[in-house]
Amino acid sequence: MMLCVCKVTSTLHPLILVPGSGGNQLEARLTTGYKPSGMFCGRFYPISKDKEGWFRLWFDPSVLLAPFTKCFNQRMMLYYDPDLDDYSNAPGVETRVPEFGSTNSLLYLNPNLKSLTAYMAPLANFLEEIGYMSGETMFGAPYDFRYGLAAEGHPSHVGSKFLQDLKDLTEKASASNGGKPVILLSHSLGGLYVLQLLNRNPPSWRRRFIKHFIALSAPWGGTVQEMLTFASGSSFGVPLVDPLLVRGEQRSCETNLWLMPSPKLFGPGKALVITPNKAYSAHDIPEFLNDIGYPEGVIPYISRILPMTEALVAPNVGLTCIFGTGVKTPETLLYGKAGFDKQPEAVYGDGDGTVNLESLSALESLWAFEKNQSLKVIRLSGISHTSILEVSAALDAIIAEISSINSKAQAEVSFE
């Protein structure tokens, strides 16, 4: 879909929504190189495809049924090539992100199941109530959330292309709104991408094109929950799904390595995973990856991910962090003699149910002495990682912050 760069007249700063992991639709197409993992996974499945063979890979409700869960796992897998030092799709699987620039693919994960798969639709509705219009002042930046970014000197073909597309969209949104700088509004993983966008572009670009950055539920230092995902797989509360059936796909996702708890925030004395024979802190993640049976994750974690997570550089643009607190969140995982194939018991601490408070609030301490960095933090008691996009109290707080940014900007223009 081509983004129409049409001149519009509005007092609002243009706004771009950047979703979190799993927060937009993803489509796939199978080629002759595809080798099905089972009898249910042939190229006939799913039956519903467009004339070019594209079908919805995420989210499709058939993933809830065990035979098709295996198909999903195979088709979502990424593979790291140590020679190329980059990730790619499974053989015979092509993927694409529909409607970049539009909010369509991040409103609902499946438009045929709106009541069950609403994602940013409630937020978009609230934004429309204060005057934002999709395609004119409000845009969407969906992406292939399996692929991440890498530290300097390492290729990241898919993730880097998304950053370039997001940069281009930012410039086009500004140009179509009289040159007004843009508000970037992210959720979860999207916040890590936006921070990288800002820090990988010069200060002059940021001053010209960025009005403000609002990060919802951003996992600045990763999350303990991610260690459970790697060790045992996670159904994320979806009924009927066996976590072990999707563990391989979850381990292969580059962004899941990016979301591992950061040694910068979780100290060496804090045990995050405890087994009968060993305890692992955030400083032991390479050893942890090896011990759970995923040694192929060690090299990309050490070389590509770790240097990037240790460098949370202030972008020197206005930033507001909004997140939930007071929701029990796994802070230590306890495994028994059954090993990593069985879901662990958890010791809970504070956070938003997914991301630990240490990670959500990390920038307050890390950037406390950054003189050129404006940082505002809004805590929402009892609001979870996903309900921040659903609950009226949270949406009201988000809209109030956006309205305040627009009002201050309008006042500055009037004063001049």
Side-chain angles (χ1 to χ4, degrees), residues 72-143:
F72 171 80
N73 180 73
Q74 179 191 13
R75 295 171 181 184
M76 285 284 284
M77 287 277 286
L78 294 184
Y79 290 86
Y80 175 69
D81 186 329
D83 294 327
L84 297 176
D85 187 25
D86 206 353
Y87 286 80
S88 62
N89 282 348
V93 179
E94 296 178 350
T95 51
R96 69 180 184 185
V97 177
E99 300 191 79
F100 183 83
S102 167
T103 59
N104 288 342
S105 77
L106 46 82
L107 299 180
Y108 305 94
L109 303 184
N110 188 316
N112 299 321
L113 298 168
K114 289 185 176 181
S115 61
L116 297 176
T117 67
Y119 179 60
M120 283 190 164
L123 174 58
N125 290 338
F126 270 61
L127 287 166
E128 288 171 354
E129 289 178 5
I130 63 170
Y132 277 96
M133 297 180 64
S134 182
E136 294 188 5
T137 50
M138 179 170 62
F139 307 89
Y143 56 100

Side-chain angles (χ1 to χ4, degrees), residues 123-192:
L123 174 58
N125 290 338
F126 270 61
L127 287 166
E128 288 171 354
E129 289 178 5
I130 63 170
Y132 277 96
M133 297 180 64
S134 182
E136 294 188 5
T137 50
M138 179 170 62
F139 307 89
Y143 56 100
D144 191 331
F145 44 81
R146 301 170 303 159
Y147 289 90
L149 293 169
E152 186 177 356
H154 295 269
S156 185
H157 177 73
V158 176
S160 296
K161 184 181 184 305
F162 169 64
L163 276 198
Q164 184 61 51
D165 290 344
L166 180 55
K167 179 181 180 181
D168 293 344
L169 178 61
T170 300
E171 295 176 3
K172 290 176 182 178
S174 174
S176 64
N177 282 272
K180 292 187 183 70
V182 173
I183 298 172
L184 296 170
L185 175 56
S186 68
H187 178 237
S188 192
L189 174 66
L192 303 188

Side-chain angles (χ1 to χ4, degrees), residues 119-127 216 380 383 387-402:
Y119 179 60
M120 283 190 164
L123 174 58
N125 290 338
F126 270 61
L127 287 166
L216 310 179
L380 303 173
I383 299 297
S387 68
I388 198 168
L389 297 175
E390 304 167 354
V391 176
S392 293
L395 294 172
D396 286 341
I398 297 166
I399 295 301
E401 182 65 9
I402 294 170

Side-chain angles (χ1 to χ4, degrees), residues 37 40-41 62-77 228-236 238-252 340-343:
S37 58
F40 291 99
C41 302
S62 67
V63 71
L64 304 178
L65 303 176
F68 300 114
T69 305
K70 294 180 180 179
C71 307
F72 171 80
N73 180 73
Q74 179 191 13
R75 295 171 181 184
M76 285 284 284
M77 287 277 286
L228 184 156
T229 299
F230 271 88
S232 311
S234 177
S235 65
F236 295 103
V238 179
L240 305 178
V241 173
D242 180 353
L244 295 180
L245 291 181
V246 292
R247 181 173 63 180
E249 172 267 321
Q250 291 171 341
R251 287 178 173 180
S252 79
F340 295 116
D341 286 350
K342 185 174 181 181
Q343 293 287 305

